[in-house]
Amino acid sequence: MAKDARTIEETSTGQRAQLLGLRYVDTRTFKSKPLYKELLTNEQMYALRAVPVTSNKDGITFGITTTTAPKVREQLRDSFNDHRVEYVLISDSSFNDYMLLYDPPKEVVYHDIELAQAASGIGIEEISKTLLEVKADDMLAYLVKQAFRLKASDIHLENEEDYTRVRFRVHGVLHPIAKLPGDKYRILVSAIASSASISTASNDAQTGHIGRKFVMEDGSEVMVNLRIETVPAIHGMDIVMRLFNFNPDMLHLDKLGLEPYQSEAIRGIVQNPSGLVMIVGPTGSGKSTTLYSIINELISPERKIITLEDPVEYQIPGITQIPIDSHSGASFGEGLRAVLRLDPDVVMVGEIRDDDTAKTALQAALTGHLVLSTYHASSAAAAMTRILDATNENPLFLSSIRLIQAQRLVRKLDPKTRVAYKPDQQTAEYIRRVLDTLPSYIDAPDLTDITLYKPGSSEERPFGFEGQVAVRELMLMTDDLISLVKSADHNLTAQDIESTAVQGGMLTLQQDGVLKAVQGITTLEEVARVIG
């Protein structure tokens, strides 16, 4: 970006900060830019459009941009609820400068995706070339077809000054695929906008859906089922398309990879369906799949099941599914109160987003309903602290909670190509420290001579991974937890709650992740990337 254009951008950002009531910072004036990699992963910073610019004993200051979603500030405060969190407005260019420090370009990423595409018979150059050559009506279908081929979950279209970058998220990690010139991107955006009923001229973030069959010029058919999210960026409209390749046969508890003790806890709830169950984690952590699998186990002619979703992701026979259009002002709390008048046995609330919905869900659970929902929090204990705030620590409400399950998805190693190695002394000591306090019902591995694994490579598995596996922690509401809340002096922290839950036998996310690394299911680096 030219110097005068950058100055104009910084001036505009400063003026915007005044309107938003935020402090503006020009990061070009910083003498140094310390990196706080332990706070957020690169993927989280890209997704949130937020970077930590200072972190010390006094608190954390995040730099956000004019394209950062308003809900991000609340999410970060919830994630770091033990710190004083502040925000400053920085320009998009400043954000990009920071991300170049956090995530410098790596040629190996392109090499990896070339291997993956070579395994599929298609290389990065061929995808880029074909996107430039296919007719306008085929561009979207072709892109979706390649995403399915590589088992991608999302397609990201991101505008730079001179081109648009196309990336696929495969097993939770983004990989560059192609670069589109401006004229071709405008054609692609028009095709997306017309199919998803969104505007290419909007200055606001938009949500849409595409569900249709495309017949391409060569006669092949591509079924497209996408959720569309758009946001106006400085170089144009950025788009993320989430792919839904729905297979109802996969929505079963037996297909979730649950450990025996986890399956026993969840099936106990299914057999006695009442109370509140919350599945906690960030976007893309498999929360919806877990909830739908529980719902699938509950379906019977004797049971009325209603879901409230924004949007309805999977259509399941035998239940009533109600879309909640939050963009038009509808709320889960209002929808839940209306649904309870229909005498349901089980209600699934897509997400508890506010105190009103939390209280309504807990009241419904108290009166004999089973209420299932998702929640955005960093851990089960962090979710509990937010529920405590919403209910003013009412023990009656808390007694209706059956389970808070936090989860993340890590990439699963290909057992045929994984490579064994011995960790250094510091890593081995870390593993022993984490696994030293495993609950008694867990078979502790032999830690005298630890072996870890890293990904290998083959034509079939060029990344060295084969899908994803969930890392979970299950917090059951025990008498000890209720007693802790009753005796607290309104200064109860997530650490206090987690400590009591661990003493009661809870396996933490960190322990489950490290255990899976020692077992050779995933890598220690994957656990650090996803959990921290």
Side-chain angles (χ1 to χ4, degrees):
M1 183 179 290
K3 183 178 179 181
D4 57 339
R6 176 66 182 267
T7 302
I8 292 172
E9 181 189 357
E10 296 296 338
T11 301
S12 174
T13 304
Q15 293 170 345
R16 183 66 175 167
Q18 291 180 337
L19 293 173
L20 296 174
L22 291 171
R23 182 162 62 93
Y24 160 70
V25 170
D26 186 347
T27 62
R28 294 177 299 175
T29 63
F30 289 3
K31 293 181 180 180
S32 64
K33 294 178 179 177
L35 304 183
Y36 306 99
K37 297 183 178 181
E38 72 281 1
L39 297 179
L40 294 173
T41 66
N42 292 342
E43 299 301 328
Q44 288 173 320
M45 287 186 279
Y46 281 125
L48 298 173
R49 298 288 294 175
V51 293
V53 295
T54 63
S55 177
N56 52 46
K57 61 182 179 62
D58 296 323
I60 306 171
T61 300
F62 288 98
I64 60 176
T65 75
T66 55
T67 57
T68 302
K71 64 180 180 181
V72 165
R73 283 189 259 177
E74 181 183 351
Q75 290 176 2
L76 289 173
R77 283 202 174 95
D78 292 337
S79 298
F80 299 93
N81 55 13
D82 294 328
H83 300 78
R84 182 169 60 83
V85 177
E86 295 184 344
Y87 302 96
V88 296
L89 196 69
I90 62 175
S91 66
D92 285 283
S93 293
S94 291
F95 175 82
N96 293 335
D97 292 344
Y98 259 104
M99 292 314 301
L100 284 174
L101 298 175
Y102 276 104
D103 186 26
K106 303 179 185 67
E107 291 301 323
V108 68
V109 173
Y110 284 90
H111 176 64
D112 282 349
I113 200 67
E114 285 168 0
L115 285 173
Q117 292 157 339
S120 304
I122 294 180
I124 187 170
E125 296 86 359
E126 185 174 345
I127 288 183
S128 296
K129 180 181 178 182
T130 305
L131 275 173
L132 297 176
E133 294 176 349
V134 296
K135 68 175 186 177
D137 292 341
D138 283 358
M139 287 183 70
L140 176 60
Y142 177 78
L143 203 55
V144 171
K145 186 176 181 179
Q146 301 312 317
F148 275 126
R149 186 190 296 271
L150 292 177
K151 296 181 172 61
S153 60
D154 306 88
I155 301 171
H156 291 242
L157 307 176
E158 303 157 322
N159 288 283
E160 301 290 345
E161 188 171 10
D162 300 319
Y163 64 90
T164 296
R165 178 172 56 180
V166 180
R167 295 196 289 177
F168 289 172
R169 188 180 296 281
V170 182
H171 298 155
V173 177
L174 282 170
H175 298 278
I177 290 294
K179 293 181 179 180
L180 292 177
D183 58 337
K184 286 293 182 180
Y185 180 64
R186 284 189 287 273
I187 293 173
L188 179 57
V189 169
S190 296
I192 294 170
S194 61
S195 297
S197 299
I198 60 176
S199 170
T200 58
S202 175
N203 292 321
D204 299 315
Q206 301 175 87
T207 298
H209 178 263
I210 300 176
R212 55 171 289 198
K213 183 183 292 183
F214 286 84
V215 180
M216 301 182 68
E217 191 173 24
D218 61 3
S220 62
E221 295 182 346
V222 180
M223 184 61 203
V224 175
N225 186 12
L226 304 170
R227 186 171 73 193
I228 311 296
E229 300 288 347
T230 75
V231 64
I234 58 173
H235 296 304
M237 179 187 287
D238 279 17
I239 299 174
V240 175
M241 298 182 282
R242 169 154 292 187
L243 286 74
F244 294 115
N245 189 13
F246 177 53
N247 181 359
D249 294 335
M250 296 303 295
L251 297 182
H252 292 282
L253 292 180
D254 294 336
K255 303 292 180 66
L256 293 181
L258 295 168
E259 299 294 337
Y261 74 92
Q262 295 170 337
S263 179
E264 182 182 352
I266 294 176
R267 289 190 186 281
I269 292 167
V270 171
Q271 291 166 6
N272 183 23
S274 65
L276 175 65
V277 174
M278 292 195 299
I279 310 299
V280 175
T283 301
S285 59
K287 299 189 301 296
S288 295
T289 299
T290 299
L291 284 185
Y292 280 119
S293 297
I294 296 174
I295 288 287
N296 217 15
E297 295 277 334
L298 288 163
I299 294 175
S300 74
E302 297 81 23
R303 206 173 269 141
K304 185 177 182 69
I305 302 175
I306 301 178
T307 72
L308 301 167
E309 305 173 63
D310 180 18
V312 174
E313 295 183 0
Y314 306 127
Q315 295 184 30
I316 300 178
I319 67 175
T320 300
Q321 296 176 268
I322 301 174
I324 298 294
D325 187 1
S326 59
H327 294 280
S328 300
S331 75
F332 281 112
E334 294 172 352
L336 180 54
R337 281 189 288 273
V339 159
L340 291 174
R341 294 193 287 270
L342 302 178
D343 190 29
D345 298 292
V346 180
V347 180
M348 187 185 93
V349 181
E351 184 182 349
I352 293 178
R353 295 176 178 172
D354 51 51
D355 291 356
D356 176 52
T357 306
K359 289 179 181 178
T360 306
L362 286 163
Q363 288 168 344
L366 276 174
T367 55
H369 302 86
L370 176 61
V371 182
L372 309 170
S373 187
T374 68
Y375 210 41
H376 280 278
S378 57
S379 67
M384 176 68 80
T385 58
R386 290 183 59 186
I387 289 293
L388 291 174
D389 291 339
T391 61
N392 295 316
E393 301 180 2
N394 187 327
L396 181 62
F397 277 153
L398 296 178
S399 65
S400 69
I401 298 176
R402 295 288 302 279
L403 170 69
I404 302 178
Q405 175 182 300
Q407 65 182 58
R408 304 287 190 277
L409 293 178
V410 296
R411 289 181 292 178
K412 186 168 60 174
L413 282 167
D414 178 6
K416 295 179 181 178
T417 60
R418 67 183 184 181
V419 180
Y421 71 96
K422 297 295 182 182
D424 58 42
Q425 183 178 352
Q426 184 179 3
T427 301
E429 289 176 354
Y430 161 74
I431 291 171
R432 293 188 184 100
R433 187 169 64 252
V434 171
L435 300 184
D436 185 51
T437 56
L438 286 178
S440 59
Y441 57 82
I442 300 292
D443 292 330
D446 183 4
L447 300 180
T448 56
D449 186 24
I450 300 172
T451 299
L452 295 178
Y453 297 86
K454 57 186 176 182
S457 183
S458 67
E459 285 193 2
E460 184 181 2
R461 308 286 186 197
F463 299 116
F465 296 98
E466 56 164 10
Q468 294 172 287
V469 62
V471 175
R472 299 180 174 92
E473 66 180 16
L474 277 68
M475 178 185 288
L476 296 166
M477 182 53 63
T478 63
D479 292 339
D480 287 341
L481 279 172
I482 294 177
S483 296
L484 175 69
V485 174
K486 286 181 178 179
S487 62
D489 56 357
H490 299 282
N491 289 317
L492 202 59
T493 67
Q495 285 81 358
D496 296 329
I497 294 171
E498 183 169 296
S499 177
T500 301
V502 168
Q503 291 173 16
M506 183 182 80
L507 186 75
T508 67
L509 279 172
Q510 186 185 36
Q511 288 176 321
D512 193 25
V514 171
L515 195 59
K516 282 181 168 58
V518 172
Q519 293 168 341
I521 297 172
T522 188
T523 70
L524 206 58
E525 291 74 18
E526 265 296 284
V527 175
R529 179 183 70 85
V530 174
I531 299 175

